[in-house]
Amino acid sequence: DVKVTQSSRYLVKRTGEKVFLECVQDMDHENMFWYRQDPGLGLRLIYFSYDVKMKEKGDIPEGYSVSREKKERFSLILESASTNQTSMYLCASRVPGTGGIIYGYTFGSGTRLTVV
Amino acid sequence: AQSVTQLDSQVPVFEEAPVELRCNYSSSVSVYLFWYVQYPNQGLQLLLKYLSGSTLVESINGFEAEFNKSQTSFHLRKPSVHISDTAEYFCAVSEDQGAQKLVFGQGTRLTINP
C-alpha cells in the first residue's frame, strides 16, 4: 500500500514565524496535494504539484507556498504564520491506476497546526 | 473546474433507520466520484468510489452510492444505521483528465441517536 507520511501530528507556532509542513510518499507518484480542513468548510485545496518543480495554485493559495525538489517530497510553507492559518493540514498523493493498481488518492494522517 | 455540493451539513437519525446523504457535482468532463468518512478524532478514510462500470457501488460496511450522470449526483445511502456510523462524510470529485485534483464538498455530519 502507498504510504503518505506527514512529519508532525501537532505543531504550535507563533504569529509571524515561517512554518514548514513536510509530506513524503513512497511510491514515486507524480501528483501530490495540500489541503486544509476546517469545520463546516470541508477540505479546501491549497496547492498541488504534478511533477518535480511543477506546482499550481489551488482554491486558497494566499499566504502559502510550496516546494517540490524531489518527487517523493512535497512541502507546504507558511511564509509568515497568522492565527487564521490555524487548521488541520492534509497531504495527499494520487495513485495513477496503472500496472493493476486501482486509481485513487492516499492521504496522510494530517498535521494540526495552531498559530498563537 | 469541478465543484461539489453536499446539501446537508448535519443529518440526525435514529439507530436502525435508513439514511441518505446527498451529493451533487458540477463538471464539464467525465469524473470519478468518492465518498470519504472521518470518525471522531481520526483521519480520512475512503468509504467507496465510482470510477467506471456499474453505477451502483458498495462499501464493506453496508453503505452504497449510485452515480446518476443525468442528475449529476452521487448520493450515499444505508438502509439501517448503527451508532458506530456517527462520523463526518465527505463527497469528492476528480476529473478524468488534466491535473485530476480532488475537490471536496463541505461535509455532512451524521449523528446517530439511540
Side-chain angles (χ1 to χ4, degrees):
Chain A
D1 283 351
V2 177
K3 194 169 181 182
V4 175
T5 303
Q6 293 184 234
S7 54
S8 303
R9 186 76 178 98
Y10 298 95
L11 273 179
V12 180
K13 296 292 182 180
R14 294 194 180 278
T15 301
E17 273 193 78
K18 190 169 185 176
V19 181
F20 293 84
L21 303 184
E22 305 290 344
C23 175
V24 177
Q25 49 98 356
D26 64 356
M27 285 296 292
D28 202 38
H29 292 157
E30 293 179 347
N31 292 39
M32 296 184 73
F33 308 84
W34 273 107
Y35 295 87
R36 64 176 282 176
Q37 182 182 4
D38 301 287
L41 298 176
L43 281 78
R44 294 178 291 166
L45 183 63
I46 305 170
Y47 265 97
F48 62 100
S49 169
Y50 46 92
D51 207 342
V52 174
K53 297 190 186 293
M54 307 299 282
K55 60 189 179 185
E56 280 197 29
K57 294 179 180 179
D59 299 317
I60 52 164
E62 296 79 17
Y64 304 94
S65 62
V66 290
S67 172
R68 186 122 182 246
E69 297 296 320
K70 293 184 178 181
K71 192 176 246 187
E72 67 268 21
R73 186 180 296 271
F74 189 36
S75 303
L76 180 69
I77 304 160
L78 286 65
E79 298 289 343
S80 177
S82 64
T83 55
N84 63 12
Q85 292 178 309
T86 292
S87 186
M88 171 69 87
Y89 290 87
L90 290 162
C91 175
S93 168
R94 186 175 70 84
V95 182
T98 58
I101 299 172
I102 297 174
Y103 178 96
Y105 297 79
T106 299
F107 283 82
S109 301
T111 297
R112 185 166 293 282
L113 173 67
T114 302
V115 182
V116 297
Chain B
Q2 73 269 47
S3 66
V4 179
T5 301
Q6 291 183 245
L7 297 160
D8 305 294
S9 59
Q10 296 187 60
V11 174
V13 296
F14 287 106
E15 196 171 15
E16 299 184 5
V19 70
E20 178 180 80
L21 307 184
R22 296 179 292 169
C23 172
N24 287 88
Y25 70 92
S26 170
S27 175
S28 57
V29 301
S30 295
V31 296
Y32 303 126
L33 293 155
F34 305 81
W35 275 99
Y36 286 86
V37 59
Q38 189 173 41
Y39 298 103
N41 300 312
Q42 294 190 27
L44 209 60
Q45 299 177 34
L46 177 66
L47 188 59
L48 47 76
K49 60 185 173 185
Y50 168 79
L51 302 181
S52 64
S54 173
T55 57
L56 185 66
V57 290
E58 298 177 353
S59 72
I60 58 172
N61 58 353
F63 282 94
E64 65 179 29
E66 186 159 21
F67 170 50
N68 188 320
K69 189 174 182 179
S70 62
Q71 296 187 5
T72 60
S73 68
F74 192 55
H75 301 331
L76 182 70
R77 301 184 183 95
K78 189 171 185 179
S80 176
V81 295
H82 303 285
I83 291 284
S84 59
D85 292 322
T86 296
E88 189 152 22
Y89 293 79
F90 295 95
C91 181
V93 61
S94 70
E95 296 178 333
D96 73 349
Q97 56 188 264
Q100 296 179 311
K101 56 184 180 179
L102 190 63
V103 174
F104 285 83
Q106 300 90 332
T108 298
R109 186 169 297 279
L110 177 63
T111 304
I112 314 299
N113 298 307

